[in-house]
Amino acid sequence: MGDSMPTVMVTGANRGIGLEFARQYADAGWTVIATCRNPGRADALKALAGDVTVQAMDVGDPASIRAAKKGIGDAPIDVLINNAGLLGGRDQAFGATDYDTMGEVLRVNVIGPLAVAEAFVGNLEAGKGKRLATVSSRIGSIAENGSGGRYIYRPSKAGVNAVMKSVALDLAGQGILVAILHPGHVQTDMGGPKAPVSPADSVAGMRAVIDGLTPETSGHFFNYDGAVIAW
Amino acid sequence: MPTVLVTGSNRGIGLEFVRQYVAEGWRVIACCRRPDSGTALKVVGGNPRIEGLELADPASIHDLAVRLSGEAIDLLVNNAGVYGPDQTFGKTDYSAFEAVMRSNVLGPLAMVETLLPNLEKGGMKTVVAVSSTWGSIGGNKWGGHYLYGPSKAALNMVVKAQAIDLKDKGITLAAISPGWVRTDMGGEGAPLTAQDSVADMRTRIAELTLADSGSFISHAGGSIPW
């Protein structure tokens, strides 16, 4: 390890897929800036071996993002992973929409990743990797929606896909590459214990997708195995 | 004659929908935020029924539903929407973004959920959401539009999901792009008049069948990529 190892910043790193991203990059010798809302309760994150710094940040709160930016300063970031996100509850059937919850989910899942990208774009420009990844979901594919429902989660992920497609276009000139990722149906608090994909396999796949980005594939919507998903 | 409810009907495309459906002899329920100041609406002939509605406020939608209780609505035109301020990367006003999401996504979603009994009573059972090509993720080659584009992509998702969930009730939903129209939002340099855009959209609406439900179509005909 040392100055030559790259830096990754992961949001929502206290559990699930975010925690696994932090673990795998730390195991690979990277410097990891791991953010979560409440570092005081991020025991699993703090127990990770390696060069891991825990930084408080609530992506749903622009003031919290500004404070985290102050803490991190101008440190180069090679890979920024917008992982933090909310499901918005289990009951998202037609007619049952909780509009306050939907507002909160849109704030965290759509506006949050844009706000993080805007706050840390200078750090990405200073890094060598120049990669911005956002954990979305296939459930946000409008084209693939064949079952309806999920009125809070689906539009939030379609919305963040639209945000990140624009970011890919706007930051292409700075050489920043953008990945929009479907992690698979993963065994996490959100995905449930019976999900078919382990966090380890999902994150290993997504790391390979991020690593393999090119200017031609920037802004695409990728499954964790690298397959492109329709909008 | 059928009944149409139009949101955001005090100006631009919404006002033109009111004018044209009134001219066709339809019963028109014209909704806008401040009905007392909706002066352009008051000079439309045929006396459209003007109703106050703040789309960003679910309680306001609920109140409207109470006033319309038991009435049939054949066609709901979810037209109201806002563009928002500067949409250049790095300049996003996050509270403005939230407001755009409330008006452009939550509002149209809540209208269908809340007025479903009225739509079920209607003959046409049709809902159109005025969307935008800026909401086409696959068609985005320009970047920017960080508030408006994602709000319309999210709206398109709502339309697609509602089309699936309401198919059994015979309700047809579509997202429709009005084109680039000479309105307060579109600006004076836009190539299309509101008259022509709305005339086109009315033709598309008249052509819709349940088999088309859940599609994203252009005012000029043809589908737009998600």
Side-chain angles (χ1 to χ4, degrees):
Chain A
M1 282 192 274
D3 291 344
S4 62
M5 289 311 288
T7 297
V8 62
M9 175 170 155
V10 183
T11 69
N14 57 308
R15 60 179 174 170
I17 290 166
L19 178 63
E20 184 63 23
F21 266 120
R23 188 197 327 269
Q24 290 194 17
Y25 278 113
D27 285 350
W30 289 44
T31 296
V32 178
I33 302 168
T35 80
C36 59
R37 280 180 285 185
N38 191 344
R41 286 188 303 191
D43 293 337
L45 179 57
K46 285 189 284 196
L48 290 182
D51 181 5
V52 180
T53 306
V54 180
Q55 168 71 52
M57 184 165 78
D58 177 354
V59 305
D61 176 7
S64 170
I65 295 172
R66 280 194 298 274
K69 167 64 187 170
K70 238 179 186 173
I72 291 162
D74 297 326
I77 294 173
D78 295 279
V79 175
L80 170 50
I81 301 175
N82 268 314
N83 163 75
L86 298 175
L87 178 62
R90 298 279 160 193
D91 188 8
Q92 301 191 11
F94 178 89
T97 307
D98 181 319
Y99 303 113
D100 288 339
T101 300
M102 187 166 182
E104 186 191 2
V105 170
L106 290 172
R107 187 165 64 240
V108 170
N109 291 9
V110 184
I111 302 175
L114 175 60
V116 169
E118 290 189 334
F120 292 96
V121 66
N123 304 71
L124 277 173
E125 287 181 275
K128 290 194 179 72
K130 293 185 173 34
R131 279 158 164 79
L132 170 64
T134 297
V135 178
S136 179
S137 170
R138 180 164 238 147
I139 293 167
S141 165
I142 312 173
E144 289 196 2
N145 182 358
S147 58
R150 304 192 203 225
Y151 281 92
I152 295 174
Y153 194 65
R154 280 188 196 282
S156 79
K157 292 305 191 183
V160 78
N161 289 354
V163 166
M164 288 300 153
K165 178 69 184 289
S166 261
V167 171
L169 292 160
D170 284 339
L171 300 185
Q174 283 110 292
I176 293 172
L177 304 176
V178 172
I180 302 165
L181 300 167
H182 170 59
H185 185 192
V186 185
Q187 296 144 10
T188 60
D189 289 351
M190 193 188 284
K194 290 179 183 165
V197 182
S198 71
D201 288 348
S202 168
V203 168
M206 290 192 286
R207 285 174 57 220
V209 171
I210 294 166
D211 194 47
L213 279 173
T214 68
E216 289 69 38
T217 62
S218 180
H220 288 186
F221 185 13
F222 295 100
N223 191 20
Y224 74 100
D225 66 5
V228 172
I229 301 173
W231 301 115
Chain B
M1 289 305 286
T3 297
V4 59
L5 186 151
V6 183
T7 66
S9 64
N10 57 314
R11 59 180 176 165
I13 289 167
L15 180 61
E16 188 59 30
F17 267 117
V18 171
R19 279 204 191 100
Q20 294 193 18
Y21 280 118
V22 163
E24 294 277 299
W26 287 42
R27 183 169 166 269
V28 178
I29 303 168
C31 297
C32 61
R33 283 186 196 163
R34 287 174 292 273
D36 295 337
S37 62
T39 48
L41 266 175
K42 287 179 180 167
V43 301
V44 174
N47 298 315
R49 171 171 168 188
I50 302 174
E51 291 284 353
L53 174 66
E54 174 49 73
L55 254 196
D57 176 10
S60 173
I61 297 173
H62 175 78
D63 290 347
L64 174 70
V66 169
R67 297 198 295 279
L68 298 177
S69 177
E71 297 185 36
I73 295 172
D74 292 273
L75 170 64
L76 166 60
V77 180
N78 262 325
N79 162 73
V82 292
Y83 184 77
D86 194 343
Q87 315 210 354
T88 312
F89 182 86
K91 297 191 172 170
T92 308
D93 175 332
Y94 304 114
S95 46
F97 198 164
E98 282 188 53
V100 168
M101 283 297 199
R102 273 196 299 275
S103 293
N104 294 5
V105 186
L106 273 74
L109 165 64
M111 284 294 286
V112 177
E113 288 194 339
T114 312
L115 296 176
L116 180 64
N118 306 77
L119 287 163
E120 288 189 273
K121 278 194 147 196
M124 282 176 67
K125 296 184 169 48
T126 300
V127 179
V128 291
V130 177
S131 185
S132 168
T133 49
W134 298 123
S136 167
I137 311 173
N140 181 358
K141 293 176 174 58
W142 309 275
H145 301 280
Y146 283 97
L147 288 67
Y148 193 66
S151 79
K152 293 302 190 181
L155 171 64
N156 288 348
M157 176 60 102
V158 168
V159 169
K160 179 76 179 285
Q162 289 181 333
I164 292 165
D165 284 329
L166 299 179
K167 199 151 207 168
D168 287 349
K169 295 183 187 300
I171 294 174
T172 300
L173 292 99
I176 188 162
S177 163
W180 184 14
V181 185
R182 231 170 288 156
T183 59
D184 290 349
M185 192 187 288
E188 289 179 4
L192 258 182
T193 63
Q195 290 94 312
D196 289 346
S197 167
V198 169
D200 285 352
M201 287 192 283
R202 286 175 48 237
T203 302
R204 300 288 88 76
I205 291 166
E207 292 166 352
L208 282 174
T209 68
L210 195 55
D212 307 313
S213 194
S215 56
F216 181 21
I217 57 177
S218 163
H219 71 97
S223 69
I224 298 173
W226 299 116

